[in-house]
Amino acid sequence: MSAVVAVFAPLDKPLSYEVPAALREQVAPGVRVRVPLGNRRALGVILELASAGVEGLRPVEEVLDLQPLLSSPMLAFLRRAAAYYHHPLGEVLRAALPAGLTAVKTRVNIVTERFYRAACAVQDPPGARQREILAWLRGREEVPLSEISRHFPAPHAVLKRLVELNLLSVREGERRRDPFLDQPVPVDVRPVLGVDQQQALAALLDALAAGRFAQFLLHGVTGSGKTEIYLHAIAAVLEQGRQALVLVPEIALTPQLVARFRTRFQAACARVAVLHSALSEGERYDAWRAIARGEVQIVIGARSAVFAPLPDLGIVVVDEEHESGYKQSEGWRYHARDLALLRAQGSAAVVVLGSATPALTTFYRTQAGDTGYLSLDARVLGRPLPEVELVDLGGRRLSGALAPELMEALSATLERKEQALLLLNRRGFAPYLLCRECGATFRCPNCEITLTYYQSRRRLRCHYCDYVQRPPERCSGCGGTSIEPEGAGTERLEEELAVAFPVARIARMDRDTTSRKGAHQSLVDGMEQGAIDILIGTQMVAKGHDFPRVTLVGVIGADSSLNFPDFRSAERTFALLTQVAGRAGRGTLQGRVLIQTYAPTHHALACAARHDYLGFYEQEIAFRRELGYPPFGYLINLVLAGNQPLQVERCAAELAEELSRKAGEVEILGPAPCPLARLRGKTRYQILLKAAARAPLHRLLGVVDSRRRKLPRTLSLAVDVDPLDML
DNA sequence: AGCACGCCGACT
DNA sequence: GTCGGCGTGCTC
């Protein structure tokens, strides 16, 4: 008997192993095995078994699972995914399984831990620390050791003594800690559905009742009540005894969404599992097993949650489906929304893609009829959309980052004691330092970009590789000393506003101010409690939260994303502007949006100002059609990177040459240096493959696969199927 | 990925 | 004369 095994290694094909007689009872497709590979061992998953013996196979050494870890629909899904993305199956399986199940060095998963509970005794112990911990424990139920450790350093000896004194009881229990449980549970409000919502829901319920694969776009502006529809549809899925998967672009920004799900389904006793990056290896494993056993009805998570092993998946919700966070940007470059569709096909599940600004490709599918279109026209409670004005900066010279119009609007907002939100999609004080004498800028030695200047810390920093240096006293080129920051980032804007509005309470929200745990939440709280008057931030401020007292939104660098060297730059700009504009006037107050731009006639800006998705779509789709870009063509980007510039260039040229010979109907663009031609010390070249259909592209990738192994090992080749950006 | 094999520079 | 640099090939 032999087994075909996908080994967790970047091999281009599965390997066959002999199944020893002693292991015959234990093997099955979907179980993990330990196998010899070269002169080491590796883990892998059995894909299939064959009774016919083959000579000269090495034996399976150990079977690691009693039951298949991956069900057969799940395996089928992952095989299709591997084929689609031209990624080694073993690596795909590794990405789909919780870390810890794929490493050879088998770590014992922590499944139990000690729980302590204060006894009913009233007398107090002698030690001060003992009293302290006991008092704390008396205020709560059963507490796991890990949580006690978080509040008290090295509590073990103290706890042991308290147990000896019979003041505490201990129990060994299964570990289940979930940071999202700390969220206050909101009251479950069940708003009455509007007409649009009822129609959308009815369509979803019909599809669910049919029990077949179907996909829908739920198109509605922020605040139009998409979440309520998800909740209703999921309730119907649970009724059928099936499970639901909810994907969100970034789980860290959605604690209130999670809380809402928890509250709603508490009564139905449905278990909601949240998969997020803060889970330890053990917790992740526990959650994964519970999901696979069918004990969890609803899974909420970021892109990797698309691999959650729900046994009978009935619905997948992809919230904010246009978000780029769904695309994995290194290693296996999958897109969770596209994988969700692939998976749902195999599970006869319904997919709901929700967005206020759907990806162009998604909206196109609704026009073509492949995807059902459900539209929520009005904001709930009929709140009007904010008035948006474009402030044309053409030919004007500003004294600071803000135009007078925006300054005036800000002071009016402050006078009314309302809040303002300013979007400037650039961190730091200034995007670069400039020598006034010779025009030199200061660049990262590893990456081909200018170093961002941080005034607060007096440092220059690279946003790509984190290289840091002190700002130079004099220019290395001409020796000049008049070196000045050019352009403005959030740090500078904050400073400028502090001068202009000395009494205003100003806060900044970007990756630099929110890296500390809980920092993001405290800024959100500050806004909600009215402790902040002006919130400055990068695109982070456009996402996630409702601030009911925000009546003014200002956008400062609206054009910077428009000038990205990428065919999707208009789409991204439109989505960001629409999203941030939606932040104004969420409460009962009328909102106003001012967008500073040099390109007021560009359709991304003009349409965003009119809240006109359809108008934007019409213009953008015409451009895509003309150039054969998605959805009218399919792209695969090949990125070659290496330390030696000449070698990278030469190999890229050779690869492109060979591809051209076999191109057929595939268009080969390049090789050309990537827009980020150097990144973390590596020189990068790209070759873009473009075709009107997928099949010839995939055929051509066969050439890449066979050539991959012949490349010098000092070079890396990344295959990006359906690239989102090409930097 | 990991690991060995194999062919060219600076050391005891 | 070796030790070891990393380019190259292979893993059932």
Side-chain angles (χ1 to χ4, degrees):
Chain A
M1 191 189 213
S2 68
V4 179
V5 178
V7 181
F8 301 135
L11 306 171
D12 51 8
K13 60 183 188 343
L15 304 179
S16 295
Y17 290 87
E18 168 68 26
V19 179
L23 299 179
R24 275 196 198 160
E25 299 297 306
Q26 301 170 49
V27 291
V31 303
R32 287 177 308 144
V33 288
R34 183 158 50 91
V35 293
L37 183 68
N39 53 0
R40 66 203 162 99
R41 40 227 50 199
L43 302 191
V45 171
I46 295 185
L47 299 176
E48 53 222 34
L49 296 164
S51 48
V54 183
E55 285 302 299
L57 294 182
R58 297 178 73 183
V60 168
E61 286 176 358
E62 192 188 349
V63 178
L64 296 156
D65 302 306
L66 295 171
Q67 258 125 50
L69 207 56
L70 291 166
S71 65
S72 102
M74 201 61 187
L75 257 180
F77 157 58
L78 293 168
R79 292 177 88 156
R80 288 180 70 192
Y84 181 82
Y85 283 101
H86 278 261
H87 201 74
L89 181 57
E91 297 287 284
V92 166
L93 295 180
R94 193 213 294 270
L97 291 169
L101 292 187
T102 58
V104 197
K105 41 180 171 71
T106 40
R107 257 158 301 185
V108 179
N109 286 295
I110 305 156
V111 287
T112 65
E113 84 175 319
R114 263 179 235 143
F115 288 78
Y116 291 89
R117 181 198 287 272
C120 302
V122 277
Q123 88 270 25
D124 276 334
R129 285 203 71 207
Q130 292 176 13
R131 276 201 299 275
E132 192 190 352
I133 294 183
L134 188 61
W136 185 81
L137 281 169
R138 278 180 176 155
R140 45 207 87 210
E141 292 278 292
E142 211 176 44
V143 183
L145 178 58
S146 58
E147 198 180 329
I148 300 175
S149 305
R150 262 197 299 280
H151 292 270
F152 304 95
H156 307 84
V158 183
L159 291 170
K160 190 169 168 232
R161 186 70 193 128
L162 286 169
V163 172
E164 281 168 14
L165 293 167
N166 276 327
L167 292 168
L168 284 187
S169 64
V170 215
R171 178 183 73 91
E172 195 81 13
E174 190 178 331
R175 175 179 202 160
R176 224 184 104 204
R177 195 191 131 63
D178 189 336
F180 278 78
L181 286 174
D182 295 346
Q183 273 291 314
V185 174
V187 182
D188 184 22
V189 282
R190 295 178 181 239
V192 178
L193 297 184
V195 178
D196 294 341
Q197 285 175 304
Q198 286 177 23
Q199 281 174 0
L201 181 59
L204 293 178
L205 295 181
D206 278 352
L208 286 169
R212 278 196 304 273
F213 166 72
Q215 52 176 323
F216 295 91
L217 167 63
L218 184 57
H219 189 180
V221 297
T222 349
S224 58
K226 295 192 287 284
T227 308
E228 197 54 36
I229 296 180
Y230 303 155
L231 290 165
H232 276 88
I234 289 170
V237 168
L238 301 194
E239 284 283 304
Q240 295 177 327
R242 304 176 81 189
Q243 301 97 36
L245 174 62
V246 180
L247 300 180
V248 292
E250 208 184 328
I251 191 76
L253 297 180
T254 48
Q256 65 287 5
L257 180 90
V258 171
R260 204 162 151 198
F261 274 79
R262 283 235 156 89
T263 314
R264 177 64 57 91
F265 294 106
Q266 215 164 34
C269 290
R271 193 168 146 195
V272 180
V274 182
L275 301 177
H276 52 87
S277 56
L279 291 180
S280 72
E281 210 170 83
E283 288 165 334
R284 196 174 297 273
Y285 170 77
D286 291 350
W288 203 87
R289 289 313 308 234
I291 294 166
R293 284 193 298 263
E295 295 167 8
V296 172
Q297 285 73 45
I298 302 169
V299 172
I300 306 176
R303 60 174 175 253
S304 63
V306 75
F307 305 117
L310 296 158
D312 190 6
L313 187 60
I315 190 169
V316 189
V317 171
V318 184
D319 192 32
E320 306 295 339
E321 64 88 28
H322 64 281
E323 281 286 335
S324 59
Y326 285 121
K327 181 81 196 259
Q328 171 93 28
S329 56
E330 43 198 46
W332 175 25
R333 304 190 178 200
Y334 65 85
H335 197 299
R337 179 238 288 137
D338 300 341
L339 284 184
L341 289 164
L342 195 65
R343 183 165 175 197
Q345 281 169 26
S347 309
V350 169
V351 179
V352 185
L353 308 174
S355 179
T357 51
L360 227 69
T361 48
T362 301
F363 193 79
Y364 177 77
R365 287 205 311 272
T366 69
Q367 303 303 96
D370 306 333
T371 301
Y373 182 64
L374 310 172
S375 162
L376 302 177
D377 261 334
R379 274 194 181 187
V380 278
L381 304 180
R383 285 184 206 127
L385 290 163
E387 174 198 337
V388 180
E389 298 151 53
L390 298 176
V391 180
D392 188 356
L393 297 183
R396 289 170 66 179
R397 176 138 189 91
L398 302 181
S399 55
L402 299 188
E405 291 96 319
L406 191 44
M407 286 299 243
E408 273 161 39
L410 265 177
S411 60
T413 304
L414 293 173
E415 244 161 63
R416 288 196 306 270
K417 307 270 180 236
E418 293 165 3
Q419 290 175 314
L421 201 67
L422 294 181
L423 171 74
L424 173 56
N425 211 358
R426 192 178 269 155
R427 295 146 65 202
F429 188 83
Y432 57 100
L433 287 183
L434 178 75
C435 169
R436 287 275 166 209
E437 285 164 43
C438 70
T441 54
F442 301 87
R443 290 174 176 275
C444 175
N446 310 315
C447 311
E448 198 147 279
I449 57 154
T450 55
L451 293 163
T452 299
Y453 178 54
Y454 283 82
Q455 177 114 296
S456 54
R457 289 180 225 153
R458 300 273 308 147
R459 287 287 184 279
L460 285 171
R461 219 172 92 203
C462 174
H463 282 169
Y464 287 92
C465 73
D466 265 339
Y467 167 86
V468 178
Q469 69 169 58
R470 289 172 189 283
E473 299 284 318
R474 45 182 60 236
C475 172
S476 51
C478 71
T481 51
S482 52
I483 295 168
E484 282 169 27
E486 273 292 307
T490 47
E491 204 179 76
R492 187 176 212 165
L493 185 60
E494 185 180 19
E495 197 180 286
E496 206 178 303
L497 288 171
V499 174
F501 303 104
V503 293
R505 293 159 301 171
I506 302 169
R508 177 159 61 96
M509 181 192 269
D510 55 31
R511 222 155 76 209
D512 300 311
T513 64
T514 56
S515 51
R516 224 180 51 250
K517 195 168 177 256
H520 180 263
Q521 191 56 43
S522 75
L523 283 167
V524 169
D525 292 346
M527 281 299 277
E528 282 181 345
Q529 290 153 15
I532 298 169
D533 300 313
I534 304 177
L535 182 66
I536 300 166
T538 54
Q539 54 183 323
M540 212 177 261
V541 300
K543 295 178 184 162
H545 226 275
D546 284 8
F547 301 123
R549 293 197 59 79
V550 168
T551 55
L552 175 67
V553 166
V555 182
I556 287 102
D559 303 355
S560 59
S561 68
L562 204 54
N563 296 325
F564 254 56
D566 190 299
F567 76 92
R568 259 185 257 258
S569 60
E571 184 178 347
R572 267 197 299 269
T573 304
F574 176 82
L576 181 60
L577 292 178
T578 304
Q579 201 163 45
V580 74
R583 301 289 120 186
R586 298 302 302 272
T588 48
L589 304 164
Q590 170 69 32
R592 189 175 172 209
V593 182
L594 290 176
I595 301 174
Q596 296 187 181
T597 177
Y598 288 96
T601 56
H602 190 288
H603 61 288
L605 283 121
C607 295
R610 294 196 304 265
H611 306 285
D612 183 8
Y613 179 85
L614 212 61
F616 173 76
Y617 172 80
E618 299 287 355
Q619 292 194 49
E620 187 65 14
I621 205 79
F623 152 77
R624 300 278 178 95
R625 181 180 280 124
E626 200 175 307
L627 295 175
Y629 278 127
F632 301 102
Y634 299 95
L635 301 175
I636 292 178
N637 197 28
L638 307 176
V639 180
L640 272 169
N643 288 319
Q644 293 147 32
L646 290 175
Q647 186 194 33
V648 179
E649 191 186 347
R650 185 170 42 79
C651 285
E654 281 169 19
L655 179 57
E657 162 68 24
E658 187 177 348
L659 288 166
S660 302
R661 279 201 302 274
K662 297 167 186 165
E665 57 225 271
V666 178
E667 197 179 338
I668 315 263
L669 302 162
C674 297
L676 286 171
R678 261 167 74 75
L679 192 61
R680 293 178 198 98
K682 308 250 188 228
T683 297
R684 307 161 75 240
Y685 271 77
Q686 62 184 1
I687 301 168
L688 187 62
L689 313 180
K690 188 164 116 183
R694 288 195 200 273
L697 271 180
H698 284 275
R699 228 174 293 132
L700 190 59
L701 269 197
V703 175
V704 176
D705 290 338
S706 64
R707 202 181 156 93
R708 200 178 214 153
R709 279 163 289 133
K710 293 181 205 140
L711 282 172
R713 278 282 275 272
T714 50
L715 288 192
S716 69
L717 172 63
V719 176
D720 194 351
V721 177
D722 307 330
L724 263 198
D725 58 52
M726 287 166 293
L727 298 178

